[in-house]
């Protein structure tokens, strides 16, 4: 082994380097999610400014639909940037996503409204969301893979949990900024200029993210090694040799992604439109979700390293199914801030319990040379099909059925179906995922006895 490779292994394997990786990845990924998700918290304001010719229901429908448009590009971004991460390194891929997300924020933050340039205004917004979606599709795979590859078999759940914790941090910051501005400026001030502020703040991701990530240690160890002969692309290999795993994994993430985007991004809109609560109350419900995700994710990650990924996923999804319908019934019967915060808080806990081990399992299921590609493909497709459009589907269901309970039934169905995907997935808790033959179809996961 060369000295350079020895240095790489040493730098990625020490507790100090792991802490640096956690801090750098969490802050950078949190900024990315702030940029990508702030749009969802400003859906009602953006609808009035960019879709003014429609009634309030169709304004909201098109606005949340545009939120979902950002997810259409996530599979493409996951494929392209994931392959780039497997070829050039995790750090370079994460740097690319930073600039793309900042570009999308700039386009939205300085976009003229419909009153100023007509139909070109919503076209510009859609274009910006497509760029952001492309960026987000590659960010999750690269950052989660980096965290997993800096871990030992005994602490991978804890390391990977910081990916979801960083999402919670981004949501917390986004909802807090949107809520604070709404409370300070009021509806008129938000419509005039206040809605632009979060996107302009989001542009800071480029210099801040670059500064933080330049100090990360690369986990893709290619230094001193000959370039691999690629007979086919990483996407072809992932789909060809791990096709069953890909399909099962996409099915398994269905429930978690649907729940995440309904609880976090649709619930504030639901609270304002259907329950009649003030926008600030609804947004601070999202702050609660982000805070719980950030605080609880590492604890759930530690638990998953001890009891296993699948066990926690099942517990979390069963808890979600038991609470969804009664929770919506309670909010409808008693639409108060206390009830909203209680329901959102309980659903958020169930969401963390199922999502942290699920997001850890995804990179564990693929060999190192296609790990970022496999992780990015599965997560981005699952989120694109069942996550980003969940607010749109929920809004449409309420309008089509006339029932305020429609989102509860939708979440219940998605969560139940997602349990089926777990049947065909292996639990690699405590196992060395880089050992020879670990990802063969006939390989059996070993017992969870690994130690750091």
């Amino acid at each position: 082994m060369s000295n350079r490779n020895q240095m790489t292994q040493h730098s990625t394997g020490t507790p100090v380097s792991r802490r640096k990786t956690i801090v750098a990845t969490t802050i950078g990924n949190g900024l990315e999610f702030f940029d990508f998700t702030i749009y969802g918290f400003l859906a009602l304001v953006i609808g009035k400014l960019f879709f003014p010719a429609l009634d309030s229901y169709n304004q909201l429908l098109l606005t949340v639909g545009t939120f979902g448009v950002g997810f259409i590009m996530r599979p493409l971004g996951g494929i392209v940037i994931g392959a780039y991460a497997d070829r050039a390194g995790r750090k370079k891929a994460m740097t690319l996503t930073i600039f793309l997300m900042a570009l999308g924020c700039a386009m939205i933050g300085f976009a003229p409204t419909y009153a100023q340039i007509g139909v070109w205004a919503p076209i510009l917004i859609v274009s910006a969301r497509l760029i952001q979606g492309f960026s987000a599709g590659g960010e999750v795979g690269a950052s989660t893979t980096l965290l997993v590859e800096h871990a030992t078999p005994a602490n991978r759940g804890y390391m990977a949990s910081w990916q979801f914790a960083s999402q919670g941090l981004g949501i917390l910051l986004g909802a807090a900024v949107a809520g604070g501005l709404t409370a300070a400026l009021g509806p008129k001030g938000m419509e005039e200029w206040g809605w632009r502020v979060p996107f302009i703040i989001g542009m800071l991701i480029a210099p801040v993210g670059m500064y933080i990530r330049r100090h990360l240690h690369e986990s893709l160890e290619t230094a001193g090694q000959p370039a691999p002969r690629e007979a086919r692309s990483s996407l072809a290999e992932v789909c060809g040799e791990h096709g069953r795993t890909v399909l099962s994994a996409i099915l398994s993430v269905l429930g978690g992604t649907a729940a995440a985007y309904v609880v976090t991004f649709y619930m504030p809109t639901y609270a304002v439109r259907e329950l009649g609560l003030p926008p600030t109350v609804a947004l601070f419900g999202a702050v609660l979700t982000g805070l719980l995700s950030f605080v609880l994710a590492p604890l759930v990650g530690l638990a998953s390293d001890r009891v296993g990924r699948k066990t926690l996923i099942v517990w979390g999804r069963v808890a979600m199914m038991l609470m969804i319908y009664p929770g919506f019934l309670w909010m409808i019967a008693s639409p108060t801030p206390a009830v909203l915060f209680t329901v959102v808080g309980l659903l958020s806990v169930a969401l963390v319990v199922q999502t942290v081990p699920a997001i850890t399992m995804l990179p564990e299921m693929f060999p190192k040379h296609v790990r970022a590609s496999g992780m990015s493909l599965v997560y981005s497709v699952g989120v694109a099909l069942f996550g980003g459009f969940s607010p749109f589907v929920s809004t449409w269901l309420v309008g089509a059925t006339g029932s305020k309970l429609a989102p509860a039934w939708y979440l219940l169905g998605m969560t139940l179906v997602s349990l089926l995907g777990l049947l065909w997935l292996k639990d690699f808790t405590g196992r060395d995922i880089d050992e020879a033959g670990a990802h063969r179809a006939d390989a059996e996961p070993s017992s969870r006895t690994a130690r750091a």
Side-chain angles (χ1 to χ4, degrees):
M1 182 182 297
S2 68
N3 290 335
R4 177 182 261 181
N5 278 342
Q6 289 176 345
M7 291 176 61
T8 301
Q9 286 190 349
H10 176 74
S11 66
T12 60
T14 65
V16 173
S17 69
R18 289 183 197 131
R19 286 194 292 270
K20 289 175 63 177
T21 300
I22 288 173
V23 172
T25 304
T26 300
I27 294 175
N29 200 49
L31 290 172
E32 283 245 15
F33 268 82
F34 172 89
D35 287 0
F36 187 70
T37 58
I38 191 66
Y39 183 96
F41 297 129
L42 299 172
L44 293 174
V45 177
I46 292 175
K48 292 180 181 179
L49 297 173
F50 289 89
F51 306 100
L54 305 172
D55 57 51
S56 61
Y57 168 72
N58 283 301
Q59 281 180 2
L60 177 60
L61 198 62
L62 277 176
T63 305
V64 295
T66 306
F67 176 76
V69 161
F71 292 81
I72 293 177
M73 290 294 285
R74 287 186 75 151
L76 181 59
I79 292 168
V80 174
I81 299 178
Y84 180 62
D86 284 329
R87 184 179 67 254
R90 320 311 188 198
K91 284 177 60 176
K92 290 184 178 180
M94 292 165 67
T95 301
L96 174 61
T97 63
I98 284 177
F99 283 110
L100 290 174
M101 190 65 73
L103 174 61
C105 269
M107 291 173 65
I108 297 175
F110 294 105
T113 64
Y114 188 93
Q116 295 171 311
I117 61 171
V119 71
W120 288 104
I123 291 175
L124 183 60
I125 293 293
V126 170
S127 299
R129 288 297 295 169
L130 291 174
I131 292 173
Q132 289 187 319
F134 186 88
S135 170
E139 168 68 19
V140 174
S143 61
T144 310
T145 299
L146 186 77
L147 287 165
V148 164
E149 290 175 348
H150 277 78
T152 69
N155 67 5
R156 274 200 309 269
Y158 172 74
M159 288 292 291
S161 71
W162 287 98
Q163 210 291 328
F164 190 70
S166 69
Q167 294 186 31
L169 178 63
I171 292 166
L172 169 63
L173 294 174
V177 170
L181 284 170
T182 301
L185 301 178
K188 184 177 180 181
M190 286 298 291
E191 290 179 23
E192 288 180 350
W193 61 273
W195 69 273
R196 298 183 186 275
V197 174
F199 295 103
I200 295 173
I201 293 174
M203 292 168 55
L204 296 175
I205 186 176
V208 174
M210 274 296 297
Y211 176 78
I212 292 171
R213 289 184 170 177
R214 67 183 296 183
H215 300 292
L216 279 173
H217 292 292
E218 178 58 65
S219 64
L220 183 65
E221 297 168 15
T222 57
Q225 300 177 13
R229 294 176 299 171
E230 295 190 18
R232 51 180 174 167
S233 68
S234 56
L235 175 62
E237 181 171 346
V238 167
C239 294
E241 298 186 12
H242 308 280
R244 180 176 175 178
T245 297
V246 168
L247 293 176
S248 299
I250 290 174
L251 186 62
S252 72
V253 302
L254 182 156
T257 57
Y261 285 91
V262 169
V263 173
T264 306
F265 302 108
Y266 175 68
M267 198 67 82
T269 301
Y270 181 85
V272 173
R273 183 175 176 84
E274 307 299 337
L275 304 181
L277 292 172
T280 50
V281 170
L283 286 170
F284 283 111
V287 170
L288 176 61
T289 297
L291 179 62
L292 288 172
S293 299
F294 181 68
V295 172
L296 295 179
L299 301 177
V300 174
L302 287 171
S304 77
D305 284 324
R306 286 157 176 76
V307 304
R309 320 287 187 228
K310 281 190 176 183
T311 301
L312 282 186
I313 295 172
V314 171
W315 286 354
R317 289 183 180 171
V318 170
M320 179 71 72
M321 289 190 294
L322 292 176
M323 291 189 293
I324 289 171
Y325 190 74
F328 272 80
L329 273 179
W330 191 19
M331 288 191 297
I332 293 170
S334 181
T336 65
V339 171
L340 174 69
F341 293 155
T342 301
V343 172
V344 167
L346 291 173
L347 292 178
S348 297
V349 172
L351 179 65
V352 177
V353 171
Q354 65 171 299
T355 305
V356 168
I359 207 169
T360 305
M361 285 186 72
L362 298 185
E364 288 180 321
M365 290 185 292
F366 299 97
K368 190 167 189 175
H369 64 287
V370 293
R371 185 167 293 146
S373 297
M375 163 72 186
S376 298
L377 175 64
V378 169
Y379 188 81
S380 59
V381 170
V383 171
L385 295 179
F386 306 106
F389 281 100
S390 290
F392 175 85
V393 172
S394 299
T395 302
W396 177 81
L397 284 173
V398 171
T401 64
S403 172
K404 295 180 180 180
L405 288 170
W409 289 113
Y410 170 72
L411 265 186
L412 189 62
M414 292 294 100
T415 305
L416 181 62
V417 171
S418 69
L419 286 171
L420 299 177
L422 289 176
L423 297 176
W424 296 283
L425 294 179
K426 298 176 183 178
D427 192 332
F428 284 90
T429 304
R431 182 181 179 184
D432 182 359
I433 56 175
D434 290 324
E435 67 181 2
H439 299 91
R440 293 200 316 265
D442 59 347
E444 292 294 333
S446 58
S447 60
R448 298 188 295 271
T449 58
R451 292 291 182 268

